[in-house]
Amino acid sequence: MRKGHIFGLISAVSSTVYIIFNRYTFTNHDPNPFLYIGFVLAAGGVNSIILLGFRKELASPFRHPKYWLLIVNGILAGVANGLFIWGQEGTTSINAGLLSSGVVITTAIISAIWGLDSFSKVQVIWLSTMFVGIYLAIVGLNVISLNKGDVLILVSMPIFGFTNTFAKLIISEFNSYVIAGIRFIVSGFLTLSIVLIVAYFSDTGFLSLSEVLLAYVSGTAFWMAIIAFYLAVTDIGPN
């Protein structure tokens, strides 16, 4: 097994923890979904500042002539994450887990269209078989019913697929830690700033301490998933 496959497995496990914690929070608490999204993404931003500061790579990416690629990646990731977490407020963990597996398919399709990867007929068959297998393992022979939350998650999938494919291009300019770190710093603090301003003027209330802690755990799990994903991309590509 190549190193990239191990990082891919770590990314998948961390993503599962992220989904479970989000659903637990929305099921057992009643957080403002937009504030929760902001704190989840900001958690990754805080962790990224610590990591990049330790690696002495916090300021150097912004001196690179193509630093704007990192900014674009961060903004797109923030939009996708926001839609995904918002969607989890109105759906089940089963639906979220199944629908999020679609990011593998959107990444593969966009990567192929972009010309970064090509797929043989056998690979297409295996990709289709994988999705059917995930569906049967989670839902069985039942029919999944879609609601507003599911639609939001589905909309986020192509955006995730685009950012994952975009990572393949960025990796030629920056290392995995910088890409993941700046992604969270940009998306996290930009999103948190916006929702805090809106919450202040609309007087919608704040998160409780337990909800902030849950957001931090969720954000840390997703942060680990993204770092592991980019390390996997470096070794085996975006698929």
Side-chain angles (χ1 to χ4, degrees):
M1 179 181 288
R2 291 176 58 172
K3 184 170 61 175
H5 293 115
I6 296 175
F7 284 126
L9 179 60
I10 294 173
S11 179
V13 172
S14 298
S15 295
T16 301
V17 173
Y18 161 72
I19 291 173
I20 291 173
F21 264 87
N22 287 343
R23 188 56 193 161
Y24 172 84
T25 302
F26 286 124
T27 301
N28 296 278
H29 298 264
D30 187 27
N32 178 312
F34 299 105
L35 280 173
Y36 181 75
I37 290 169
F39 275 93
V40 167
L41 298 181
V46 171
N47 293 338
S48 296
I49 289 174
I50 295 172
L51 176 63
L52 294 181
F54 178 78
R55 291 174 56 86
K56 296 182 171 48
E57 293 179 316
L58 189 57
S60 58
F62 296 101
R63 294 193 291 267
H64 193 285
K66 294 187 178 180
Y67 73 91
W68 61 271
L69 293 172
L70 297 172
I71 304 298
V72 171
N73 188 57
I75 293 173
L76 289 173
V79 172
N81 289 326
L83 289 171
F84 183 85
I85 298 173
W86 187 14
Q88 280 196 267
E89 183 194 21
T91 190
T92 65
S93 296
I94 290 177
N95 282 24
L98 175 64
L99 294 172
S100 65
S101 67
V103 73
V104 177
I105 297 175
T106 57
T107 299
I109 293 173
I110 293 174
S111 182
I113 292 174
W114 211 328
L116 297 178
D117 288 287
S118 59
F119 299 92
S120 64
K121 291 182 179 179
V122 174
Q123 288 175 313
V124 172
I125 293 173
W126 275 112
L127 192 63
S128 303
T129 302
M130 180 192 68
F131 182 77
V132 173
I134 292 173
Y135 185 97
L136 292 176
I138 297 176
V139 183
L141 297 177
N142 300 314
V143 177
I144 186 172
S145 58
L146 298 178
N147 52 44
K148 176 184 176 182
D150 298 326
V151 173
L152 289 171
I153 292 175
L154 279 173
V155 172
S156 74
M157 291 300 101
I159 305 176
F160 273 125
F162 182 85
T163 55
N164 291 345
T165 304
F166 196 52
K168 184 69 173 179
L169 298 176
I170 302 177
I171 280 177
S172 64
E173 303 290 341
F174 305 95
N175 68 53
S176 300
Y177 296 103
V178 167
I179 297 171
I182 301 302
R183 166 178 173 163
F184 276 105
I185 291 172
V186 171
S187 64
F189 292 111
L190 179 61
T191 303
L192 183 61
S193 298
I194 293 173
V195 297
L196 283 176
I197 292 172
V198 172
Y200 176 79
F201 285 103
S202 61
D203 194 26
T204 56
F206 199 67
L207 300 184
S208 66
L209 178 60
S210 61
E211 290 167 351
V212 171
L213 291 175
L214 285 168
Y216 181 77
V217 173
S218 172
T220 298
F222 191 63
W223 175 73
M224 292 177 61
I226 294 302
I227 287 181
F229 172 79
Y230 284 139
L231 289 171
V233 168
T234 302
D235 186 48
I236 60 177
N239 300 310

